[in-house]
Amino acid sequence: MTTTRATSTARTTSTAGTARTTAGTARTTSTAGTARAPRIARTFHLTARPHGFPTADLFSVVESPVPEPGPGQALVESLYLSVDPYHREEMDGGWELGTPLEGRVIGRVTASRTPELSEGDLVHHRDGWRTHALVTPGTNGTRRISSYDGVPLTAHLSLLGGTGLTAYVALTRTLELRAGQDLFVSAAAGGVGTAVGRIARLLGAGRIIGSAGSAAKVARLTGELGFDAAFDYHDGPVGELLAKAAPDGIDAYVDNVGGEHLEGAISVLRDHGRIAWVGAISQYHSAHNPPAAPRNLFDVVGRSLRLEGVMVRDYRDVQGELEDFLVPHLRSGLIAPEVTVVDGFERTVDGFLGMLRGENTGKMLIRVAE
C-alpha cells in the first residue's frame, strides 16, 4: 500500500521499500512566518484489480489538505466507516482505479454552507473510505441522522443502516414473512445475517436456522443471537445439513451466499416457499468464473417457489418505518447492534480483508474518530 500526498509538491511513499520520489517545485520553509500547516485529509484509492482474494498492495492512501465547503455543501469528518461484502464486487470493475472508494459513513459536520446541515450534526453519506468529505444534502445518500437516547452510534451503520434496512425489506417486502413461519439464513453470523435473525424474531418467526463458517460462530448463533439451530457449512453438503436442522422444511430463505447454499435451500423449502436473494459471497472471488446454477433450479417451477433479488436502494422510503420499528427495542435493550469494530483509519483495508475472511461477527466497522 502506498501513501500519496496531494500538495504542491507531489510525494509518494511506498510501504514496500524506502525509495521516495518528489516531483514539482522545491519546497521552501521560512522561519520568519508562523503559518499553521494545513489539516490533512486521507482517502483510500484502489490502484489495481484483484485476481482472486484481494491483497493490501492493491490500495493506496492519498493525502491532501482538508477541503473547504462551497455553497450548498458541508464538510463532514468521518467517525465510522462501513466495509461490506459488496465492496469485493466493486473491486472487479465498479470502482474506478485511482479515485476515492465508495461506502457508507457516519460523520459529524465540522463546517457548513448549506442551511440543511449545521455544525455538529451527525450525517450519513456514501462518499466512502476517507477521513473528510464534502457532501451535498440529498445526494449520494447524504442525510442527517437522528441521535436517539440509549442507541449507540454504531446502530446507524448496522441495524438502523443499510444492513438493517436490507434485512428488514427482505423479510417484510420480499418474503412477506408471517408469524410462525420457519426461516433459513445463510452467512447468518455476518452483518445482514445477524440483522435478519434479530428482526425475524421480533416479527414472530417460527424456527430460525442459520449457517456459518466456524463452530464458534455456530455456538454464538444459538447461544447468544437467538437462532434455534445452526450448522457449520464446512461439515458436509449444505442440503443435508439444512435438512437435518429443519426436518420439517422451511418457509423462507434469506440468501447471502448463493451457490451450494441456494441449491440446498431449494431442496428443503416447502411448496410456495420464498427466497430473498441478497448476496453471493460464494462467487465474490471468482466473478469471471461463477459457479453453475443450482442443479435443482427447476424445482422452483415444480413446487411454486418464488425467488426475488433484493436491492436496498429500491427501498429508501422505508428508512423511517425501520427506525420506528427498531428504535424502541434498541432503547429497551431487547436487541443491540452486533458489530465488530477495527480502530484506526489506517486499518481500513485490514478490516475489509478480515471481513472477507470471516473474522467478524455482525457488521464490520472502522472507527476513525470519536
Side-chain angles (χ1 to χ4, degrees):
M1 187 168 64
T2 60
T3 301
T4 302
R5 294 175 178 84
T7 64
S8 57
T9 303
R11 177 176 294 171
T12 301
T13 303
S14 171
T15 58
T18 58
R20 176 175 293 172
T21 302
T22 302
T25 58
R27 176 179 294 174
T28 302
T29 303
S30 172
T31 58
T34 58
R36 180 180 299 173
R39 292 188 301 151
I40 298 299
R42 293 178 291 165
T43 306
F44 273 99
H45 289 193
L46 183 67
T47 59
R49 303 290 179 199
H51 299 282
F53 195 91
T55 53
D57 60 352
L58 300 175
F59 298 88
S60 67
V61 175
V62 175
E63 296 183 346
S64 61
V66 172
E68 296 291 335
Q73 294 181 320
L75 176 65
V76 176
E77 182 176 5
S78 299
L79 301 177
Y80 287 92
L81 311 180
S82 175
V83 290
D84 296 282
Y86 81 87
H87 287 155
R88 175 60 187 86
E89 290 184 285
E90 296 298 304
M91 294 181 73
D92 288 327
W95 283 340
E96 294 183 16
L97 299 180
T99 61
L101 303 184
E102 181 271 350
R104 298 183 180 97
V105 180
I106 296 297
R108 181 175 287 110
V109 175
T110 59
S112 178
R113 294 185 63 187
T114 170
E116 298 178 57
L117 294 173
S118 301
E119 187 172 336
D121 282 349
L122 293 172
V123 171
H124 169 279
H125 66 81
R126 295 186 65 110
D127 281 321
W129 299 9
R130 60 178 80 202
T131 58
H132 301 78
L134 291 177
V135 303
T136 301
T139 65
N140 206 21
T142 301
R143 57 181 172 85
R144 182 192 292 112
I145 61 173
S146 300
S147 180
Y148 297 108
D149 290 339
V151 177
L153 192 58
T154 55
H156 292 279
L157 283 176
S158 52
L159 282 172
L160 299 181
T163 298
L165 186 58
T166 299
Y168 184 74
V169 299
L171 291 168
T172 63
R173 286 355 188 232
T174 309
L175 298 179
E176 299 177 334
L177 188 73
R178 295 184 292 277
Q181 292 188 327
D182 299 327
L183 174 72
F184 172 48
V185 188
S186 56
V192 171
T194 54
V196 166
R198 295 290 198 192
I199 295 171
R201 185 61 70 207
L202 294 173
L203 292 171
R207 296 188 75 241
I208 303 176
I209 301 103
S211 69
S214 70
K217 288 186 176 182
V218 167
R220 190 164 185 186
L221 288 175
T222 56
E224 301 177 29
L225 298 178
F227 283 72
D228 296 285
F231 59 85
D232 182 344
Y233 65 85
H234 295 106
D235 289 344
V238 171
E240 294 179 11
L241 295 168
L242 178 57
K244 183 178 180 180
D248 297 323
I250 56 174
D251 298 293
Y253 171 44
V254 176
D255 189 4
N256 295 300
V257 177
E260 185 188 357
H261 274 77
L262 179 56
E263 182 173 305
I266 290 173
S267 71
V268 177
L269 276 161
R270 299 172 183 138
D271 288 358
H272 304 282
R274 289 95 62 211
I275 301 169
W277 198 348
V278 173
I281 297 171
S282 64
Q283 66 185 61
Y284 282 169
H285 304 305
S286 57
H288 302 297
N289 186 28
R295 293 168 294 179
N296 58 354
L297 186 60
F298 194 67
D299 286 355
V300 170
V301 177
R303 302 217 311 279
S304 298
L305 307 180
R306 178 163 60 85
L307 186 156
E308 183 179 340
V310 181
M311 290 299 294
V312 72
R313 67 188 179 205
D314 297 331
Y315 297 96
R316 300 299 181 196
D317 59 335
V318 184
Q319 180 68 39
E321 178 184 326
L322 172 73
E323 295 185 21
D324 290 344
F325 178 68
L326 286 183
V327 166
H329 299 301
L330 286 163
R331 281 176 159 166
S332 72
L334 182 62
I335 61 172
E338 192 68 33
V339 297
T340 300
V341 177
V342 173
D343 280 306
F345 178 78
E346 68 282 358
R347 296 187 63 204
T348 298
V349 172
D350 294 337
F352 173 57
L353 299 181
M355 178 272 301
L356 293 179
R357 287 190 291 264
E359 295 173 2
N360 58 303
T361 298
K363 189 78 185 68
M364 180 70 92
L365 300 177
I366 311 301
R367 180 161 40 211
V368 180
E370 293 291 346

